[in-house]
Amino acid sequence: MATRLLRTSIRLVLCTAPALLLLGCGFFHRPSELECMERAMYFESHRSSRDGMVAVGTVVMNRVNSGQFPNTVCGVVGQRNQFAPGVMSKRMDSRSLPRVREAARAVLRGERHPFVGNAMFFHTAGHRFPYDNMHYTLVTGGNAFYEKRRSELVTQPVPPPPVDGLTGW
């Protein structure tokens, strides 16, 4: 009797899981590349400017293309301890989403912030670190963007003045 009940339970789970997946049940929701990019921009740029969002998106794409990080947007954004805590799980305010979505779509279509260059890192603007390998490329949207270089190749060791308005809005 117990074995029969166990087989029935297993069959029910195996038959129900694919149906739930096909129905878009939240238990099995796999975010799209667009949603992952939106989340990175939303939680990292504080939606302060289009430049800030496009710069964050540019860093995500630089990482995707680098070979040093996962090769998908969701892999990069979901990587542990790389982006804001809860980036893949916290709720986003729907009032901000139209602008965030527009910027995310633009980056996924190929737009890049012209001053980010090859930067794959950023931190909150105003923070200082004692490292000598940080070559800063841009400050925008509340973040300072930088490349990691050998110290003798760093020509911009301090963040430049903030720039906004290069990509619109």
Side-chain angles (χ1 to χ4, degrees), residues 12 26-27 45 53 72-73 81 92-93 115 125 127 130 135 141 146 161:
L12 180 63
F27 295 116
S45 72
M53 288 189 284
T72 65
V73 172
N81 299 322
M92 296 188 292
D93 176 13
F115 290 174
H127 286 158
H135 174 84
Y146 64 95

Side-chain angles (χ1 to χ4, degrees), residues 13-79:
V13 168
L14 292 176
C15 292
T16 306
L20 290 174
L21 184 61
L22 291 173
L23 292 173
C25 180
F27 295 116
F28 298 101
H29 175 71
R30 180 175 244 144
S32 67
E33 298 286 282
L34 176 62
E35 184 179 352
C36 292
M37 182 65 77
E38 289 170 350
R39 290 183 152 282
M41 291 176 166
Y42 182 92
F43 289 107
E44 292 291 357
S45 72
H46 309 292
R47 298 139 336 262
S48 58
S49 70
R50 188 174 191 282
D51 278 13
M53 288 189 284
V54 171
V56 167
T58 301
V59 165
V60 170
M61 296 311 296
N62 285 350
R63 287 182 176 201
V64 166
N65 296 319
S66 75
Q68 299 170 23
F69 295 90
N71 63 358
T72 65
V73 172
C74 291
V76 166
V77 175
Q79 196 174 22

